[in-house]
Amino acid sequence: MDLNQLLHRHQVSLMSADAASGTEARCAHRGLAALYADRIRLLQHSLGAGSMLSRSPVVATMGSAE
């Protein structure tokens, strides 16, 4: 999967989390977004590029009650 595909899936996961009606679905989409963010960082690092994503705030909020 190339960088553009990963960025697209990351964005779709974040939008899906925002649109989710239940806590479980919201957490699942945020978890996917965090995994895509990790893959984006790894790919950027392997290409010698700086990360355009900071450590995902999604991970920090996954455990919080909403």
Side-chain angles (χ1 to χ4, degrees):
M1 191 174 301
D2 72 11
L3 182 58
N4 286 325
Q5 291 171 312
L6 288 170
L7 289 168
H8 172 76
R9 289 189 180 193
H10 178 260
Q11 186 65 36
V12 169
S13 294
L14 291 175
M15 291 186 304
S16 296
D18 285 343
S21 58
T23 303
E24 287 183 29
R26 193 168 24 259
C27 286
H29 288 296
R30 286 179 178 173
L32 284 172
L35 291 173
Y36 286 126
D38 288 341
R39 289 185 63 186
I40 290 166
R41 275 190 290 283
L42 287 172
L43 180 57
Q44 289 173 327
H45 179 73
S46 73
L47 297 172
S51 178
M52 56 168 85
L53 296 174
S54 61
R55 190 70 183 142
S56 178
V58 170
V59 175
T61 60
M62 283 179 63
S64 65
E66 295 182 34

